[in-house]
Structures are given as structure tokens and as C-alpha cells.
Amino acid sequence: MNIAVAQSGGPTVAINASLMGVFEQALKSVEIDKVYGSLNGIEGIINQNLVVLNDLVKGEEDIELIKTTPSTVLGSCRYKMPSPDDKPEVYEKIVECFKKHNIGAFFYIGGNDSMDTTDKLSKYTMQNGIDVKVIGIPKTIDNDLCYTDHTPGFGSAAKYLATTMQEIVRDSAVYDLKSVTVVEIMGRHAGWLTASSGVLHANGETAPHLIYLPESEFSAEKFLNDVRAQLEIRNSVIVAVSEGIKLDDASYRSGKVDNFGHEYLSGIGKLLENLITEKIGCKVRSIELNVMQRCSSHLSSKTDIEEATLIGSEGVKAALSGETGKMMTFERVSNNPYKIEIGMVDAKLVANAEKVFPCDWITDDGTNITHEAIQYFLPLINGEINIKTKNGMPVHFIIKK
Amino acid sequence: MNIAVAQSGGPTVAINASLMGVFEQALKSVEIDKVYGSLNGIEGIINQNLVVLNDLVKGEEDIELIKTTPSTVLGSCRYKMPSPDDKPEVYEKIVECFKKHNIGAFFYIGGNDSMDTTDKLSKYTMQNGIDVKVIGIPKTIDNDLCYTDHTPGFGSAAKYLATTMQEIVRDSAVYDLKSVTVVEIMGRHAGWLTASSGVLHANGETAPHLIYLPESEFSAEKFLNDVRAQLEIRNSVIVAVSEGIKLDDASYRSGKVDNFGHEYLSGIGKLLENLITEKIGCKVRSIELNVMQRCSSHLSSKTDIEEATLIGSEGVKAALSGETGKMMTFERVSNNPYKIEIGMVDAKLVANAEKVFPCDWITDDGTNITHEAIQYFLPLINGEINIKTKNGMPVHFIIKK
């Protein structure tokens, strides 16, 4: 039989490593002949827009190059899977594609929305007696998927963040004057990525001095008092703020929503910058780390890339052993030495749910993270990868579509 | 005798390498005893706020760590040097500090404003028979200093930019829809850094598809037509725009100016994003690369760090041979193989001047750079440096002030 694999949702730097995990395991499996790559997520299956990875990926060098290429080499989508009752023709097209290409298993690398697709598709195939296993491979820099210790892509985003925040700390400290630097960090309504900037404390940095997460209530008045108190004890105050913090005044939100009804978040950093200018009046700068948080493959965590590869491979093993409708998971067995095991969970349980940052990992004053949280984050950012370069710039693998 | 060194103006990732160049050469020079570091630029001399680098920098390991630490380990300032006629007391304080600490040479690492200080101070010492040599060591990510082929700090900023732009290109290409990504790049009124993003073409990237520099006239109407034309031929259009481009409508400017009367520039990316949303209506995102352009030492160019060290060392040699009031320069002897020589020029000539990007290195349609420009940039971003890490994060050298 053949298999198919697709990538969905927002990019990460580890999603191509999971793709190669699937591909490498397929090469090792006598049951599997070809590996089809579906272009632009499930839309590639629906529209029969496929590539044969065995033809495009020539040997070990390409595999390693793809693992260190950011974003999705197969493209992505934000397609919301309808129910079979509403649009049976979508499912019929998918099954037609599966049958035509003798596809016996489909792997969907994505976040919680992709797990919704994994769940719906696996139920449809089971209920209609179609022998195609459907397995979800987690990915998101937001780390907000339930039932897994963490998600592939998160560790590298956290490593980018720690490195960049530390460099911003140095940059912000040069002048002999009071200043505040507000760094706006992704993560939607979960504070994992913003909180992870606290790992700097493990290397003796006092920054970030204030961390604001969506999991805590945010009050502009308390924020200004927190900043004033920090300005009393140091020149350069560094604030890490999640794009998803809840303001009483919702006027900063863009109001735009994506296909899943999620709001596009951004602008909170600028808003807080203006607030400090108006109410405190010291030098202030806001920095939006933007998509660099999810595409800076040159700062990938070795642990993350290796784990992303592993969980892709394990997904293939799970499908071959008859599993379907599951998402693969990480279980943390121990922290020191760091050790994980691979598990799985019903994709239905993960779909459309969100795992938030634990409240007891936030310090009592609500403005930083605990030692326990730091211990959770540290193994995930561990290790550096070697990037192939040409002319002083990284080399990426590109599939011409 | 002893010497003193200070760092001034906006940070770069190479300014500490120049500091170590001065320090290493001083250690080799029998004429020089102690190396004083002046905290926060020339203000440290005025206020006698000095450290002894020989005490703080313990051996080769510290030297290498400082070379890869971003920003200024001695702090910086934006102090505008008055004329001796206006404020003789400032010069008296400086001379008092020089005499007290037996300082026979002063090295000022900075941009064009710092060369103004170098010029004024060297003239004062000469005119008053004070035997203190004053030498300027160039630094700026803007590459806008006259009389030098390029400036230390620029190559690393360009390398950060090339790497990050390429990752943004991958990130922007994931969805099967038309989109524009506008990347706002530093450089004040000179287009060097923005133009340098064109080096991606040397590795086969079509992006950036449109490059807008302050050296070309900018018309919103032509810009929209350029973008529309690009959207006809590709899905994902990448625009590199300098923070300093001149709009007819100056309303986007903040109006804030620094001590030298320079405007704080920023916001052009967001302005163009809004323009595209309004007039074209496709998906559009703007990204401000902000201070990461000048502080991302983990992406330093090996060439840049080595040259920054060299030019610091050569500054010490120049002072010992009796030079004063000069800025050290790079002269490019050949491009292939890349070879530079060190020269010098009157600091007065560099002070308060600005070297702009050559118009004949801009393509005829005004939206990209020529092959010759790419050949100029490529050697400057060459080579990667090894960063010392702990817990998966870079280690920086910090002087406790």
C-alpha cells in the first residue's frame, strides 16, 4: 500500500522534521510502497494535488536539509472540515483520492483544528468500511494541545525566544537612563511561549522582569504599578507580554477572525508602549517578534527536531499496528535525565480544545514564572543543530509546486 | 602610559569585538600599561566613571566571549559634544580625567556623531598642547559612514537580515492564496541594510521581489502598481522597505527627534500594510525587524567580527605611531578573493556626513539591486561564528556597573 501525509495550520520549524519522520519510517516499512505528499494540507487530497516524496527526496542529505527547513515544504491550509452530513461530496472526493492512489494511511501534521479533521475523517472511514487509518501528528508553537506533555515546534520557538530576548536585554541596557522594553509574544490564548522566556532566569538573567500571560487577569492599573516598581530598582525593565492577554478594554483587537472563528491577535505591545508613554513618560519601546518566532530554523532546538522526527515515525508505526483516529503524544517520564515516551490519545479529545499554562506555575504576584516551570521548559530548548549554509546564508529545501 | 576606550551610539554585534581589538593590541604593546573602559561613552570620561579592563577581562576565554556578546559591554551614550567655546568645562573635565589616569590615547568606537566628538576632542588636545591621541573606530549597522568601504557591524546586521528574510519567505509561502509581506528594515536615511536583503538572489531566491530605498523617490501609486504586477506572477510577494523612505505625505513620521536632531523613524511597514489592505485587499502582513537587526549576535558574520577586531587593533597602532583626529577605515583591495586593507581619514570628514547607497546599484525600475551590489555585499556576510551556550542559550559577558 501507499500512504499520504499533509501539513496544516500555522508553520513551525519542526513540522518538516515530522514529515521526514513519517517518510523515513515508511522507507523502513516493507508494507509501504510510496509516500504521497498532499499539497496545502487536506486540500491536496480533496483536489488530488499530490507529489511523490520518494521521487523528490533523494537520500539522506535531502532528508537532513528538509528537517532544518522552516515552515511547510508541502504548503499548508486553514481548511475547516465540514461534517459528512453537510458536505458528503468532500468526503467522497477524499475517499476517491485514497482509492485511486491505493492510500492505506493518512498522516495529518497539525494543531487542534487538524485533530478535528483527523477525528472526522477517521470516523467517516470506519463507518463506511474504508480501510484507511488516519493519524494526527501534533505541531504548534503555542504548546496548547491537551494530552501531550508538549508539542513539536514549541521547543524551537522557545529557544528562539530565549536567545532573542537575551540579546534584546543587552541591547536595551546600553544607555544610562530609565527605559522599558515591551516584547509581544505569540501563543494565542495560551501563555506557554510567553512564559518560556522566563528560562533566562536559569542563566542568571533578572529579565524578563515582568511576564503577563492570558491565564492571569490583566489590569492596566496594576501593570503600570508593576512597571513603576521595577523602574525604582533598575534602569532597563524588560516586559514579556502574550498577544492573548485579556484587557477590560477590548478596543485594541482587530476584530478580524480566521476560518475557525479565531481572532487575529496582535498590537498589545504597541498598546502597552503607548500606555507607558502616557502614564509614566520614560523611554519605552515595543517589539513584536512576529513570525520569526515560528520560522527561525537557524535557532531550532536539537531536542525539538529529534522529537518531531520521532513522533512522525511513531505515527507510522501506530497506523501499521491498526490504530486510527488518534493523535500521537509525548509523555515526560523524567526531567533529570530528561526522558520522554510516545503515547497516543483519541484525536477527538484534542480537537478544538486548548491547554493553558498552569496557574500554580505563575508566581504569587502574577508577574513571573516559578522554578518548576523553568525546569519544565529547559529540556525542550536543549541542543543546537547544524545548518547547511551557502554564501553565508542557510540553505532550504523547496518543492516547486 | 595608559589608554582609554569608549563605545557610543546605537549598539551593534561587532562593537565589542572592536573593543577587544583595542584591548588585545594594548596587551601586546610595551608602551601601554592599563586599558581603561569609559562607561556610557564619553560621559564616563567626563564623569570619571571608568573600569580597568585588565582587571575585568581574564584571559582568552573572556576575550572571545566579549567578541560574541551583542551591544556595548561598556554601555553607550548619545551625548552631543559641545564646542570648547560654548562649554570649556566639559573639555577641562575630560583633560582632568586623562591626566589623573595618565591616559595617552583615547579610542572612540562609534558612528558619524562619534567622529564629530573625535574631531573636536583631537583638535582641542592639539591646540592646548595636551599629548593625548584621539582615534575613531567606525561602527554602525547603517553602513553610512563616508571614506570607508563598509563599517563594522554592518556585515552581521546584513547576515541577520538575509537569514531572517529567507525564513520569512518560507513562512509566507505556505498558503495557497495571494499575499504580501512587507518587511521594514533599519538604516536611517541610507538604504544599505535594506538593499543587502537582495543577497538572497545569490542563492536562487526570487525574494525580496520589491526593494524600496531612501535613495529612490517613493510614490504610493507606483508602489501599488509594483505590488499588483508581482501578484500577477506569484502568490507570495515579499517587499523589503527601508524605514527612511521619503513619502510625499509625511504624516506617518513620529515627529520625535533625538539629541542630534535625527528623527526616530518607524512605522512605514504598517503604513504600507494598511495601504495594500485598502487599495488591493489581499492578505498582507508587515514585519518590523526592530532591534534584532543590531543585536542578534548568534547570527554574527565571522568576517565582520574578525574585521571589527582588526580595525580596533589597527587603531591602537595608529595612535602609537602618532596619529590623532583620524577614523580608521577599510579599503577593499579585491572582491574575489575578498581582501581589505586598513586606512585612515580625518574624522572631521566623516563627522555628520552620510554615505548613501549608489544609485547605479539600483535596477532601472527602482525596485531591486544589481549584480554588482550583490557582489559588494556577499563577502561581508561570510562565515559563521561559534557561540558559547549554557542550558541551550547563548552566554554573554556582562560588566556589573
Side-chain angles (χ1 to χ4, degrees):
Chain A
M1 71 168 187
N2 302 318
I3 65 170
V5 56
Q7 302 171 306
S8 175
T12 79
V13 302
I15 191 167
N16 288 329
S18 288
L19 179 71
M20 286 301 97
V22 169
F23 181 67
E24 285 180 304
Q25 191 59 41
L27 292 182
K28 286 183 205 155
S29 306
V30 289
E31 302 94 324
I32 300 172
D33 186 12
K34 276 190 269 192
V35 180
Y36 286 100
S38 168
L39 298 182
N40 294 111
I42 189 74
E43 290 178 354
I45 301 286
I46 297 169
N47 304 321
Q48 302 221 15
N49 196 6
L50 307 179
V51 294
V52 178
L53 287 180
N54 313 62
D55 295 340
L56 296 172
V57 184
K58 319 254 186 224
E60 194 56 36
E61 200 176 327
D62 278 1
I63 290 174
E64 291 309 310
L65 193 54
I66 293 174
K67 284 183 187 173
T68 59
T69 295
S71 193
T72 57
V73 294
L74 296 174
S76 184
C77 71
R78 288 221 176 261
Y79 181 80
K80 181 149 179 63
M81 195 73 169
S83 80
D85 293 338
D86 285 347
K87 291 208 169 180
E89 67 273 19
V90 169
Y91 290 81
E92 285 156 16
K93 280 184 182 172
I94 290 172
V95 170
E96 186 192 336
C97 179
F98 285 164
K99 284 188 177 163
K100 180 176 171 187
H101 298 285
N102 190 29
I103 290 165
F106 174 61
F107 302 89
Y108 210 23
I109 313 173
N112 29 25
D113 298 322
S114 309
M115 296 313 137
D116 179 59
T117 301
T118 300
D119 174 59
K120 283 175 176 156
L121 194 54
S122 67
K123 290 217 169 87
Y124 181 86
T125 53
M126 277 193 287
Q127 283 161 4
N128 291 277
I130 298 152
D131 188 20
V132 178
K133 311 302 180 200
V134 186
I135 296 286
I137 312 288
K139 79 78 228 183
T140 168
I141 64 162
D142 300 334
N143 201 36
D144 61 351
L145 299 191
C146 299
Y147 304 98
T148 183
D149 177 75
H150 57 281
T151 55
F154 172 70
S156 294
K159 189 184 183 82
Y160 165 83
L161 198 60
T163 302
T164 302
M165 282 287 277
Q166 198 182 2
E167 290 169 343
I168 290 171
V169 170
R170 294 286 89 72
D171 187 272
S172 302
V174 295
Y175 298 119
D176 186 21
L177 52 78
K178 298 283 177 184
S179 72
V180 181
T181 304
V182 179
V183 183
E184 178 181 324
I185 299 165
M186 285 179 161
R188 296 199 293 172
H189 300 290
W192 293 100
L193 197 55
T194 306
S196 78
S197 64
V199 292
L200 285 181
H201 303 325
N203 277 12
E205 295 283 350
T206 57
H209 308 105
L210 299 167
I211 299 177
Y212 297 98
L213 309 179
E215 288 81 0
S216 290
E217 212 155 299
F218 186 87
S219 139
E221 198 181 323
K222 178 176 182 300
F223 168 74
L224 287 167
N225 285 334
D226 292 342
V227 171
R228 285 188 190 105
Q230 286 293 329
L231 284 168
E232 289 289 316
I233 52 176
R234 65 186 89 251
N235 259 353
S236 170
V237 176
I238 307 288
V239 179
V241 62
S242 168
E243 64 178 359
I245 63 164
K246 296 173 198 84
L247 281 183
D248 291 342
D249 175 2
S251 60
Y252 77 97
R253 295 188 186 279
S254 68
K256 288 191 265 187
V257 292
D258 69 11
N259 288 346
F260 296 93
H262 303 153
E263 283 176 288
Y264 289 117
L265 303 172
S266 96
I268 186 71
K270 188 54 89 178
L271 184 121
L272 296 183
E273 177 192 327
N274 293 340
L275 192 65
I276 292 169
T277 299
E278 189 188 329
K279 302 288 186 183
I280 299 180
C282 65
K283 181 179 172 177
V284 56
R285 182 193 289 275
S286 65
I287 298 170
E288 193 181 340
L289 293 179
N290 219 307
V291 298
M292 290 81 86
Q293 294 163 85
R294 67 185 195 195
C295 69
S296 292
S297 55
H298 72 277
L299 272 178
S300 294
S301 148
K302 187 163 188 276
T303 301
D304 186 30
I305 298 300
E306 287 176 353
E307 287 183 351
T309 307
L310 174 69
I311 205 166
S313 299
E314 293 291 323
V316 174
K317 289 186 195 168
L320 289 177
S321 72
E323 299 286 348
T324 189
K326 306 284 191 202
M327 182 188 86
M328 308 307 293
T329 63
F330 292 131
E331 291 164 22
R332 194 180 297 218
V333 178
S334 78
N335 221 7
N336 197 4
Y338 174 66
K339 187 167 183 294
I340 53 147
E341 285 179 0
I342 302 289
M344 64 185 89
V345 61
D346 283 348
K348 169 99 187 146
L349 294 172
V350 181
N352 301 314
E354 217 171 28
K355 184 174 75 173
V356 296
F357 188 74
C359 285
D360 57 355
W361 283 2
I362 302 174
T363 53
D364 289 344
D365 63 357
T367 64
N368 229 305
I369 64 166
T370 65
H371 176 75
E372 201 180 349
I374 293 172
Q375 298 311 307
Y376 167 85
F377 288 126
L378 277 175
L380 309 183
I381 66 169
N382 199 42
E384 288 72 50
I385 56 160
N386 291 319
I387 292 284
K388 186 179 172 185
T389 60
K390 182 184 166 191
N391 289 321
M393 296 174 272
V395 179
H396 295 161
F397 187 94
I398 300 168
I399 292 178
K400 302 283 178 206
K401 280 167 241 176
Chain B
M1 71 168 184
N2 302 318
I3 65 169
V5 55
Q7 302 171 306
S8 176
T12 80
V13 303
I15 191 167
N16 288 328
S18 288
L19 178 72
M20 287 301 97
V22 170
F23 181 65
E24 285 180 304
Q25 191 59 40
L27 291 183
K28 285 184 207 154
S29 306
V30 290
E31 303 93 325
I32 299 172
D33 186 13
K34 276 190 270 191
V35 180
Y36 286 100
S38 167
L39 298 182
N40 295 110
I42 189 73
E43 290 178 354
I45 301 286
I46 298 169
N47 304 321
Q48 302 221 14
N49 196 5
L50 307 178
V51 294
V52 179
L53 286 180
N54 312 63
D55 295 340
L56 295 173
V57 183
K58 318 252 185 228
E60 195 54 38
E61 200 176 328
D62 277 1
I63 290 174
E64 291 310 309
L65 192 54
I66 292 174
K67 284 182 187 173
T68 58
T69 294
S71 190
T72 58
V73 294
L74 297 174
S76 184
C77 71
R78 288 225 176 258
Y79 181 80
K80 180 150 179 66
M81 195 74 170
S83 81
D85 294 337
D86 286 345
K87 292 207 168 178
E89 68 273 19
V90 168
Y91 289 81
E92 287 155 15
K93 279 184 184 174
I94 290 172
V95 170
E96 185 192 335
C97 178
F98 285 164
K99 285 189 175 161
K100 179 173 171 189
H101 297 288
N102 190 29
I103 291 165
F106 174 62
F107 301 89
Y108 211 23
I109 313 172
N112 30 24
D113 299 321
S114 310
M115 296 314 138
D116 180 59
T117 301
T118 299
D119 174 59
K120 283 176 175 158
L121 194 54
S122 67
K123 290 219 167 86
Y124 181 87
T125 53
M126 277 191 289
Q127 283 161 6
N128 292 276
I130 298 153
D131 187 20
V132 177
K133 310 301 180 201
V134 186
I135 296 287
I137 312 289
K139 78 78 227 181
T140 167
I141 65 163
D142 299 334
N143 202 36
D144 61 351
L145 299 190
C146 298
Y147 304 98
T148 183
D149 178 75
H150 58 280
T151 55
F154 171 70
S156 294
K159 188 183 184 80
Y160 165 82
L161 198 60
T163 302
T164 303
M165 282 287 276
Q166 198 183 3
E167 291 170 341
I168 290 171
V169 169
R170 294 286 90 71
D171 187 273
S172 302
V174 296
Y175 299 118
D176 186 21
L177 50 80
K178 297 283 177 186
S179 72
V180 181
T181 303
V182 180
V183 183
E184 178 181 324
I185 298 166
M186 284 179 162
R188 297 198 294 173
H189 300 290
W192 294 99
L193 197 55
T194 306
S196 77
S197 65
V199 291
L200 285 182
H201 302 324
N203 277 11
E205 294 282 351
T206 58
H209 307 105
L210 299 168
I211 299 178
Y212 296 98
L213 310 178
E215 287 81 1
S216 290
E217 212 156 300
F218 186 88
S219 136
E221 198 181 324
K222 178 174 182 302
F223 167 75
L224 287 167
N225 285 334
D226 292 343
V227 171
R228 285 189 191 102
Q230 287 292 331
L231 284 168
E232 289 289 316
I233 54 176
R234 63 186 89 251
N235 259 354
S236 170
V237 176
I238 307 289
V239 180
V241 63
S242 167
E243 63 179 0
I245 63 164
K246 298 172 197 85
L247 282 183
D248 292 341
D249 176 2
S251 61
Y252 77 96
R253 294 186 187 279
S254 68
K256 289 190 267 186
V257 292
D258 68 12
N259 288 345
F260 296 92
H262 303 154
E263 282 176 290
Y264 290 117
L265 303 171
S266 95
I268 186 69
K270 185 56 87 177
L271 184 121
L272 296 183
E273 176 192 327
N274 293 339
L275 193 64
I276 292 169
T277 299
E278 190 188 329
K279 301 289 185 185
I280 299 181
C282 65
K283 181 180 172 173
V284 55
R285 182 194 290 275
S286 65
I287 297 170
E288 193 182 340
L289 293 179
N290 216 308
V291 297
M292 289 81 85
Q293 293 162 89
R294 67 185 196 196
C295 69
S296 293
S297 55
H298 72 276
L299 272 178
S300 294
S301 147
K302 188 164 186 276
T303 301
D304 186 31
I305 298 301
E306 287 175 355
E307 288 183 350
T309 307
L310 174 69
I311 205 166
S313 300
E314 293 292 322
V316 173
K317 289 186 196 168
L320 289 178
S321 73
E323 298 287 350
T324 189
K326 305 283 191 205
M327 184 189 83
M328 308 306 295
T329 62
F330 292 131
E331 290 163 22
R332 193 179 301 218
V333 179
S334 78
N335 221 7
N336 196 4
Y338 174 66
K339 188 167 181 295
I340 52 146
E341 285 179 0
I342 302 289
M344 64 186 89
V345 62
D346 283 347
K348 169 100 190 146
L349 294 172
V350 181
N352 302 315
E354 218 172 26
K355 184 174 76 173
V356 297
F357 188 74
C359 285
D360 58 355
W361 284 3
I362 301 173
T363 53
D364 290 342
D365 62 357
T367 63
N368 228 304
I369 64 166
T370 65
H371 176 75
E372 202 180 349
I374 293 172
Q375 298 311 306
Y376 167 84
F377 288 126
L378 276 176
L380 309 183
I381 66 168
N382 199 40
E384 288 73 48
I385 56 161
N386 290 320
I387 293 284
K388 185 179 172 187
T389 60
K390 181 183 167 191
N391 288 322
M393 296 174 271
V395 178
H396 295 161
F397 187 94
I398 300 168
I399 292 178
K400 301 283 178 207
K401 283 166 238 176

